[in-house]
Amino acid sequence: MAAPLTTIGALGALTLALHLRDPHVHASWGLCPSALMGFWCPGCGGLRAVNDLTNLQLVDAASSNLALVVALPFALAALALWTADRWRGRRRAVPANAVAWTAFAAVALLVVFTVLRNLSGSWLAP
């Protein structure tokens, strides 16, 4: 149980920090290297999206980083499943090809998301 509980604790602490120190304030969490180079990476706006979610502002969070808002329920479900499996003392066998296809699909979707958010006038830009 140490690994899932440590992960949950770290994510909780980081979420609390993002709630308390507003990333909407310019450079409050540093500057994004990709934004400084003139393009939005798939993670740009992620800190603002987490802050918006902690303030129960779902539309604002989606505006900051739609990919994070869409992926978050799946990540939380995977974390809950991992924790429940560890609690029960079992290890889930996940086929390697399922992991490979999921990773491929995630990377492909993030590439498409990145291209779309960098088009001129895109509503996906943070």
Side-chain angles (χ1 to χ4, degrees), residues 35-101:
L36 290 174
M37 291 186 289
F39 71 95
W40 305 111
C41 76
C44 283
L47 300 180
R48 292 186 297 274
V50 172
N51 175 269
D52 291 335
L53 288 172
T54 65
N55 290 305
L56 304 176
Q57 298 171 331
L58 183 60
V59 173
D60 292 341
S63 175
S64 292
N65 190 315
L66 183 61
L68 181 127
V69 173
V70 170
L72 191 60
F74 296 103
L76 291 175
L79 181 59
L81 189 60
W82 178 39
T83 304
D85 282 349
R86 287 290 176 100
W87 178 264
R88 294 180 187 121
R90 73 181 230 213
R91 291 204 178 260
R92 188 172 302 269
V94 180
N97 64 344
V99 173
W101 279 105

Side-chain angles (χ1 to χ4, degrees), residues 8 10 16 27 29-30 36 38-39 41 55 77 98-99 104 111 115 117-118:
I8 291 168
L16 178 62
W29 285 89
L36 290 174
F39 71 95
C41 76
N55 290 305
V99 173
F104 176 77
V111 167
V115 169
R117 77 186 326 206
N118 281 287

Side-chain angles (χ1 to χ4, degrees), residues 1-14 79 82-83:
M1 287 298 300
L5 292 179
T6 301
T7 302
I8 291 168
L11 290 172
L14 292 170
L79 181 59
W82 178 39
T83 304

